[in-house]
Amino acid sequence: MVDAFINKQKAKEGGYNTSQCLKMFGVSDSGYYAWRGRRDDIFGKRAEKKAERDNIKEKMRQIIIARNGVIPGKRTFRVELFRRFNLTVNTKRIAAIMKEMNLVAQMPHKDAYKHQASHNHVCAAPPNAVNQDFFIGPRRVILSDITYLYYGEYRNPFYLCVFRDAYTRENLGWSIGRYMSVSLVEKAYEAMKEAHGKELSEVLKADEVYVHHDQGSQYLSTSFTQLLKDDGFVQSVSERGNSQDNAPMESFFGRLKTAIMDMVALCKDYDSARRLVDGYLRAYNHEHYQYDLAGLTPEEFYQYATTGIYPLESYFGVPASAMMTGGDLKKVRRRYADEEAAKRREASKKKREEKRLVDPLKIVQRDKKLIKSVIATWNDKKDVASIQISKMEELLKLIDKAFEYIKTLAEEELAELREPLAWRNHEELRYVFAMNELF
């Protein structure tokens, strides 16, 4: 509108000049001429930028295809563009392009079956030796958990147990089975020992290695606890009801389901579903570039953390020679490089320890209250069940009468009853309305 007014004034003899017109409309000179430049694209920059943007969009589509249709977030897109296509694009620009493409990063959802399993008694579980200090070094903290997946037309469930290095995010060992049993955990543990036993043995000679998990009965079984003890590992257990104590493991399972749950559900049989999950876990270690791992895969990051040699020539233009050594990296990853941070860590640990302590009298009182509540629940169910059984027995008598009544009907009357609405015309068949109570 402003531009049209200016052109009309230019065509008039004695009309307003451009600056006067812009002042009338409250438009700045720089803003107007910048708009003109974009509209006219005098130097062809607009076309050049569009071509560059279209190229980034195409590469982002290829990344989504390579990740089996999973849409990553802006940070993961940035790493993937750099590692796969050597393109350096900042996250702000990627976020804008994602908005243009109507792309929304797929995020993990809350597990519908979480917190439905019973826990061991708070005074019967081993201590939490890790205390959320996950990043103390490669192969020092091994996290584990069990999750469920499903496949096929009837959503048949099966279970996955994984042992994972908290520091490098590598999946060290896993097992897949139809049942959530102690055997499932022990098979995953043996797979870890077979693949990484030598590395773990070397670390065990110098430091403690923690195997951290929740209060599941599979992990607290006598056989698995003894297995860890025999191999020299320190067993660590999350506090009851505190998902943050095993947060990296919970996060990984959430992302795994976001990435492959829809594909696993399409599998026709258990064997196909098992092979798909197994393939994803193997590929994760050496194909998934991660922003928080300096753009490396978990396997590459383990080599970097243990040798101090950065495997890439550069990272977003920063040469490998300017990257930190493994020792420096360890300090950064732990976030406790200075004395002040160490004090905060100690204070936090002390606070958690105080929170972990229990009042014996309150524990016994709580247990007594819990058992009384369970007894009351079962008594209520007993009363309700008794009432329901009486109702159903009365209904069964009505059904028996209806059966005898139908046997007395003629062919014409039976043909009439093929129409469901006709049943309400027969008093002997009106028991069907009482059947609604079953639903």
Side-chain angles (χ1 to χ4, degrees), residues 191 238 257 284 330:
S238 299
K257 289 186 177 183
Y284 184 93
K330 182 177 178 181

PDB file of all heavy atoms in Angstrom, residues 191 238 257 284 330:
ATOM      1  N   ALA A 191      24.936 -61.583  28.358  1.00  0.00           N
ATOM      2  CA  ALA A 191      25.259 -60.988  27.050  1.00  0.00           C
ATOM      3  C   ALA A 191      26.222 -59.821  27.217  1.00  0.00           C
ATOM      4  O   ALA A 191      27.152 -59.635  26.420  1.00  0.00           O
ATOM      5  CB  ALA A 191      23.970 -60.531  26.360  1.00  0.00           C
ATOM      6  N   SER A 238      17.392 -48.086  43.025  1.00  0.00           N
ATOM      7  CA  SER A 238      16.682 -46.811  43.105  1.00  0.00           C
ATOM      8  C   SER A 238      15.787 -46.778  44.328  1.00  0.00           C
ATOM      9  O   SER A 238      15.276 -47.813  44.764  1.00  0.00           O
ATOM     10  CB  SER A 238      15.814 -46.610  41.864  1.00  0.00           C
ATOM     11  OG  SER A 238      16.588 -46.593  40.694  1.00  0.00           O
ATOM     12  N   LYS A 257      10.851 -46.505  22.307  1.00  0.00           N
ATOM     13  CA  LYS A 257       9.463 -46.742  21.925  1.00  0.00           C
ATOM     14  C   LYS A 257       8.978 -45.695  20.926  1.00  0.00           C
ATOM     15  O   LYS A 257       8.217 -46.009  20.016  1.00  0.00           O
ATOM     16  CB  LYS A 257       8.577 -46.744  23.171  1.00  0.00           C
ATOM     17  CG  LYS A 257       8.798 -47.969  24.050  1.00  0.00           C
ATOM     18  CD  LYS A 257       7.817 -48.020  25.200  1.00  0.00           C
ATOM     19  CE  LYS A 257       8.022 -49.284  26.021  1.00  0.00           C
ATOM     20  NZ  LYS A 257       7.048 -49.423  27.105  1.00  0.00           N
ATOM     21  N   TYR A 284      22.003 -48.708  17.283  1.00  0.00           N
ATOM     22  CA  TYR A 284      22.067 -47.536  18.169  1.00  0.00           C
ATOM     23  C   TYR A 284      23.506 -47.246  18.575  1.00  0.00           C
ATOM     24  O   TYR A 284      23.925 -46.080  18.615  1.00  0.00           O
ATOM     25  CB  TYR A 284      21.212 -47.795  19.406  1.00  0.00           C
ATOM     26  CG  TYR A 284      21.122 -46.613  20.338  1.00  0.00           C
ATOM     27  CD1 TYR A 284      20.084 -45.699  20.223  1.00  0.00           C
ATOM     28  CD2 TYR A 284      22.072 -46.385  21.340  1.00  0.00           C
ATOM     29  CE1 TYR A 284      19.995 -44.602  21.066  1.00  0.00           C
ATOM     30  CE2 TYR A 284      21.992 -45.296  22.188  1.00  0.00           C
ATOM     31  CZ  TYR A 284      20.952 -44.413  22.043  1.00  0.00           C
ATOM     32  OH  TYR A 284      20.881 -43.323  22.872  1.00  0.00           O
ATOM     33  N   LYS A 330      36.078 -35.774  31.196  1.00  0.00           N
ATOM     34  CA  LYS A 330      35.523 -36.429  32.381  1.00  0.00           C
ATOM     35  C   LYS A 330      35.078 -35.386  33.407  1.00  0.00           C
ATOM     36  O   LYS A 330      34.016 -35.497  34.009  1.00  0.00           O
ATOM     37  CB  LYS A 330      36.564 -37.369  32.982  1.00  0.00           C
ATOM     38  CG  LYS A 330      36.084 -38.147  34.194  1.00  0.00           C
ATOM     39  CD  LYS A 330      37.154 -39.098  34.666  1.00  0.00           C
ATOM     40  CE  LYS A 330      36.708 -39.856  35.908  1.00  0.00           C
ATOM     41  NZ  LYS A 330      37.745 -40.777  36.396  1.00  0.00           N
TER      42      LYS A 330
END
